[in-house]
Amino acid sequence: DTEVTQTPKHLVMGMTNKKSLKCEQHMGHRAMYWYKQKAKKPPELMFVYSYEKLSINESVPSRFSPECPNSSLLNLHLHALQPEDSALYLCASSQGQGAIDTGELFFGEGSRLTVL
Amino acid sequence: AQKVTQAQTEISVVEKEDVTLDCVYETRDTTYYLFWYKQPPSGELVFLIRRNSFDEQNEISGRYSWNFQKSTSSFNFTITASQVVDSAVYFCASAGSARQLTFGSGTQLTVLP
């Protein structure tokens, strides 16, 4: 079982809905990440939080709004999404801020989002 | 900037065959790290290995082995005596001065019984 838990596993939403994806880890990691993965493509980095502060935003549209309420939780708030935003959204955590520091990212199983 | 190329999009083998997944990287950093992750159908990426740019020793872990060659900028991954449970998408990745992972496009491995 993965040590990074993501909910919900599946989400279908309309373009006018507001929804949130949630991620939780209890490994004491201080960095958490959101990745977006389209079908048959590699994951693309969206956001990085380090010590509960946003450290990297990869020019993600404002209809995606991340939030880190505490060191164990990471949310991704969704509003006014487009059908092309349909993808697998992966959360990850690590001890350091980046793969070069920590050597390993721990990934959740993802939330599969469909925007109608 | 890092670039990782996995030229093999899909590979199918029969169980117990050996299979090698190719990975070629490009970087201007002198210090960098290379990774392999496995993504089974369940979705999560599972870390397999990390190597730094100063350590070209090959590594073996059970049925898995990795061949890092700086001269050819390659970091290939071999599974010996493949099993059906090895079926997954395998991503090679690198990280350098930008500190975050740059993934290759992935190789879908299917091991047939």
Side-chain angles (χ1 to χ4, degrees):
Chain A
D1 288 341
T2 181
E3 296 182 75
V4 177
T5 304
Q6 291 188 243
T7 55
K9 292 196 183 304
H10 300 274
L11 178 63
V12 179
M13 61 186 290
M15 289 190 285
T16 58
N17 292 158
K18 285 185 181 180
K19 298 286 185 183
S20 296
L21 305 180
K22 297 184 185 302
C23 175
E24 189 169 3
Q25 58 88 12
H26 293 289
M27 295 178 281
H29 289 170
R30 305 316 300 244
M32 296 187 75
Y33 311 73
W34 280 115
Y35 282 84
K36 173 183 177 179
Q37 187 178 23
K38 302 283 276 185
K40 298 189 184 298
K41 296 291 187 183
E44 298 174 0
L45 183 64
M46 299 175 72
F47 303 104
V48 181
Y49 272 83
S50 178
Y51 291 87
E52 302 165 43
K53 288 185 169 34
L54 182 65
S55 62
I56 294 177
N57 176 343
E58 292 286 348
S59 302
V60 179
S62 59
R63 57 184 184 269
F64 295 92
S65 175
E67 178 196 20
C68 189
N70 61 57
S71 60
S72 299
L73 294 174
L74 185 66
N75 299 323
L76 186 63
H77 302 299
L78 314 170
H79 175 54
L81 295 194
Q82 304 297 312
E84 58 265 30
D85 296 322
S86 298
L88 180 68
Y89 289 84
L90 292 161
C91 174
S93 70
S94 67
Q95 289 182 334
Q97 184 177 342
I100 200 169
D101 300 311
T102 183
E104 179 178 356
L105 269 63
F106 291 79
F107 284 84
E109 292 185 344
S111 293
R112 192 164 297 281
L113 173 68
T114 302
V115 182
L116 302 177
Chain B
Q2 311 279 319
K3 182 179 178 182
V4 178
T5 301
Q6 294 179 257
Q8 303 152 309
T9 305
E10 297 182 14
I11 300 176
S12 286
V13 298
V14 177
E15 203 169 21
K16 297 185 183 177
E17 287 185 357
D18 298 347
V19 59
T20 295
L21 308 182
D22 297 333
C23 174
V24 174
Y25 64 92
E26 294 177 34
T27 181
R28 294 183 179 177
D29 295 319
T30 53
T31 300
Y32 54 90
Y33 290 80
L34 301 170
F35 303 78
W36 277 95
Y37 278 83
K38 172 183 179 180
Q39 187 173 36
S42 55
E44 82 277 20
L45 280 89
V46 178
F47 169 84
L48 297 178
I49 190 172
R50 175 178 93 146
R51 304 296 285 175
N52 73 55
S53 50
F54 301 109
D55 184 1
E56 282 191 77
Q57 281 194 346
N58 292 332
E59 182 154 340
I60 298 174
S61 177
R63 296 184 297 106
Y64 295 170
S65 63
W66 291 269
N67 184 345
F68 176 23
Q69 291 195 340
K70 288 179 78 170
S71 60
T72 56
S73 297
S74 64
F75 186 44
N76 296 339
F77 172 31
T78 297
I79 301 175
T80 303
S82 59
Q83 299 176 2
V84 172
V85 293
D86 295 327
S87 297
V89 180
Y90 290 85
F91 289 99
C92 181
S94 68
S97 56
R99 316 188 82 78
Q100 303 302 329
L101 291 173
T102 296
F103 287 95
S105 54
T107 297
Q108 170 71 61
L109 174 65
T110 302
V111 181
L112 303 169

